[in-house]
Amino acid sequence: DAINTILKAIEIEPNNAELHFIAGVFYDDAKMADKVIEQMKIAIKLNPEHANALNYLGYTWVDQGVRLDEARRMIQRAVELRPNDGYIVDSLGWVLYRLGRFPEAVGYLERAVELRPEDPLINDHLGDAYWRVGRLAEARFQWRRALNLKPEPDLIPLIRDKLDAGLAAPSSAAVKRSGRNGG
């Protein structure tokens, strides 16, 4: 399978950051988060300027809701390296969102949608950020747009729920985190 093939390539070239990055992506497809993190860390150690690995590891942590400040720093570096990559810019907006820094998140997510207008997840993220800053009509517009862009099947009911009911208020933990991590 793909994982065994890439692991054999790594045996031949253990210091190849790109091979470790690809292994991490394959592990992600196999839903093996610990291995994803391990491979991305190796890729970054071998090449600290590997924008995709910095972004992938950072976004993995954001998805897990852990190490958000460290994830933000890694993704910020990835954006510096690849400022016109819509996926990486989205990741920075999304980590800022998860930190409760909603106005800041909006700017990056708007930029990400400019760079990748056809991506349903990026449009969904922008909708969430718009909702948090009180731009409710624009939030619903983005969520409808995300649905029209044919998102992954598991995302469809989540977006429909947001269209019906909006978003619940952020938890007090997120607000406290925002205050501690702001700036």
Side-chain angles (χ1 to χ4, degrees):
D1 71 336
I3 292 174
N4 287 329
T5 302
I6 199 72
L7 292 178
K8 286 179 180 141
I10 288 171
E11 284 178 26
I12 296 165
E13 287 189 71
N15 294 323
N16 185 321
E18 191 63 23
L19 292 176
H20 287 281
F21 172 75
I22 293 167
V25 172
F26 288 159
Y27 280 126
D28 192 30
D29 291 342
K31 308 286 186 235
M32 300 171 74
D34 290 346
K35 293 285 192 181
V36 173
I37 291 167
E38 174 186 309
Q39 290 301 312
M40 293 303 163
K41 284 182 175 180
I42 294 169
I44 293 165
K45 184 176 182 188
L46 293 170
N47 177 6
E49 305 290 285
H50 196 300
N52 286 330
L54 289 163
N55 180 60
Y56 216 101
L57 178 55
Y59 193 88
T60 299
W61 284 335
V62 172
D63 235 14
Q64 295 175 347
V66 301
R67 302 174 80 160
L68 295 180
D69 282 321
E70 188 175 356
R72 182 191 52 75
R73 286 189 296 273
M74 295 175 87
I75 296 167
Q76 177 68 54
R77 181 64 187 134
V79 168
E80 291 167 6
L81 293 165
R82 306 249 320 264
N84 294 316
D85 185 313
Y87 297 116
I88 295 174
V89 174
D90 170 69
S91 295
L92 183 55
W94 195 238
V95 72
L96 292 167
Y97 176 92
R98 294 291 302 266
L99 286 165
R101 294 164 59 174
F102 306 124
E104 230 179 317
V106 165
Y108 285 103
L109 293 170
E110 286 176 334
R111 174 76 176 132
V113 166
E114 286 175 17
L115 293 166
R116 288 276 176 193
E118 75 292 343
D119 188 277
L121 186 59
I122 295 173
N123 281 273
D124 178 57
H125 286 169
L126 179 56
D128 290 5
Y130 277 158
W131 186 272
R132 294 292 183 218
V133 297
R135 294 166 66 177
L136 307 186
E138 290 167 286
R140 286 197 165 90
F141 174 86
Q142 289 304 137
W143 292 329
R144 277 192 293 278
R145 183 157 191 230
L147 276 180
N148 290 335
L149 291 170
K150 301 187 179 15
E152 294 293 321
D154 59 333
L155 192 57
I156 293 170
L158 301 174
I159 295 172
R160 285 193 175 131
D161 286 348
K162 289 187 268 191
L163 279 167
D164 290 341
L167 293 173
S171 71
S172 60
V175 171
K176 286 179 188 167
R177 243 192 343 265
S178 171
R180 248 193 342 263
N181 297 326

